Every structure is written in structure tokens, then in C-alpha cells.
Amino acid sequence: AMIVQSREEHQRGEPHDPDFAVEMKFRVMLAERLPVDYEYPDKLARILAIHKQLVRWQVSGRISGHVICIESNGVGWGLASDLRTKIGQFVISYTTVGSSMDKPYGGGKVSMPRLAALDWMRIMMETHHLKLVPDAPGHKQLASELNSFVWRRPGRPEAMQGQTDDLVMALCGGLWVGSKIIGPLLKAARRPRRATVN
């Protein structure tokens, strides 16, 4: 499942003001579930095609930058590795963990605590910081999955019996990375490196 979403930052107040905050808003531009019979090369080609479109938007000034987030649990690890080889710095891989602790980034590893991330997505929706673009391709499928996403087992929100939640979890991953990960990664990249002598 793939989600393409935009992230906008809005400053509230002046940077010297103690109440200064950066407010983020997300819009879902595309929700797509690849067919089950898609082979690995087809999946890779589809993601690369989306990347090329985003590069064109970036060159034209329509967007200021983009990243591709890949859940690297299981089979996603190979896809993330191949994408990193082909397009480099545009790829962030993350692992989904069962913890509810909100510690998204540390030691160079990116993790998404499932319960904390789902709760963050709920908050973003309730505060209208996450919106589905009404004419976005796949928006009806995503809305359907969101409506069938329930607490099925103690401590585990997931799709109702017979339904899927792939688009919901892809949206959750993109929101998590966009809200919690990109900032710390950019700070780490800008931090001056000290020379070491052995």
C-alpha cells in the first residue's frame, strides 16, 4: 500500500516568542494498494515512477522536497535497501514496534511505536491537521479502511474481520515520519562533525 501526502508548516508567533510553535498540516494526495499479483520489480518500478513525478514537482517549485518512507519490517527491508541504492537520501526506512512509548528516533534508527503512532494519527484527524483531498486517487478506499479500523483484540487496533488496514498503516507511517522523524534527521545532518584522531 502507498500513500502520497503533503506536509505544510505554519509558524504560530515569532521565533523569539516563548509561545512560538510550528504547526504541521498534512493532506493525502494519493492512496494506492498495489495488486496482490504485482511482482517485486513492478513494485519497485511503481515507487520509482512516483519518485520521478515528485522530482518533477520539486524542480517546478510545486513542492520544496520529498522523502519516501518504507516500513522495513519483513519484506520491506529489501525494497528500502534497493530504493536507497537507486535514489539515496530520499529514502527513510522505519520499523514498526509494539511499544506505545513515543521515542521515534535514536541512535540512527527510526522506529514507529504502533499505538503511539495510531494515537498521533487520531489526534491529527480530530484537530483537522490531516485531511483527505476529496478527488485524490484512492481516497474512497482509504476512507473505507479508516471506517473499518477498530479495537479487535485487547491493546491492538486493526481492521475489522474480512477487511484490510494496509492503507491506514501506510498513512500512519507517513504521518509519523513527517511529524516526528524528519526534524531530528535534518538536525543530525546539519550538525557539524568533529574530526577524530586515532
Side-chain angles (χ1 to χ4, degrees):
M2 294 188 301
I3 297 287
V4 175
Q5 62 192 28
S6 68
R7 181 184 88 155
E8 299 170 9
E9 290 185 2
H10 302 278
Q11 291 187 356
R12 295 173 53 204
E14 297 295 324
H16 60 273
D17 186 344
D19 295 326
F20 173 77
V22 175
E23 186 177 84
M24 287 178 278
K25 294 197 176 191
F26 293 84
R27 286 184 176 74
V28 176
M29 313 298 283
L30 169 106
E32 182 178 328
R33 178 179 289 113
L34 297 175
V36 177
D37 60 349
Y38 248 42
E39 297 293 330
Y40 181 84
D42 299 323
K43 292 175 185 175
L44 184 60
R46 180 67 182 123
I47 295 171
L48 289 172
I50 288 175
H51 167 68
K52 286 180 184 172
Q53 178 63 48
L54 293 171
V55 167
R56 285 193 290 273
W57 286 359
Q58 199 169 330
V59 168
S60 71
R62 187 172 170 186
I63 60 173
S64 61
H66 74 280
V67 295
I68 295 174
C69 311
I70 303 283
E71 182 185 22
S72 57
N73 297 44
V75 296
W77 181 86
L79 188 58
S81 179
D82 284 348
L83 284 168
R84 207 172 281 114
T85 300
K86 292 182 181 301
I87 57 179
Q89 78 275 12
F90 293 101
V91 180
I92 296 175
S93 62
Y94 64 93
T95 57
T96 303
V97 295
S99 168
S100 62
M101 293 183 62
D102 187 355
K103 291 186 178 179
Y105 179 72
K109 294 182 181 179
V110 176
S111 62
M112 182 184 82
R114 182 180 167 92
L115 292 178
L118 286 167
D119 195 45
W120 178 247
M121 182 173 73
R122 178 190 58 80
I123 291 166
M124 295 296 279
M125 291 174 76
E126 288 177 356
T127 58
H128 305 287
H129 286 80
L130 170 63
K131 297 194 176 187
L132 302 181
V133 174
D135 57 350
H139 80 279
K140 288 181 182 176
Q141 293 87 345
L142 176 57
S144 174
E145 281 196 15
L146 285 165
N147 286 327
S148 65
F149 198 74
V150 296
W151 287 86
R152 281 191 57 206
R153 294 184 272 166
R156 183 150 178 101
E158 58 191 2
M160 286 182 194
Q161 181 99 21
Q163 303 295 319
T164 59
D165 60 12
D166 299 334
L167 290 171
V168 171
M169 293 311 298
L171 173 61
C172 189
L175 259 180
W176 186 257
V177 171
S179 300
K180 309 277 188 174
I181 305 300
I182 290 175
L185 286 177
L186 289 174
K187 280 183 188 172
R190 279 188 282 217
R191 193 175 299 133
R193 297 180 182 224
R194 295 182 182 169
T196 58
V197 178
N198 291 331

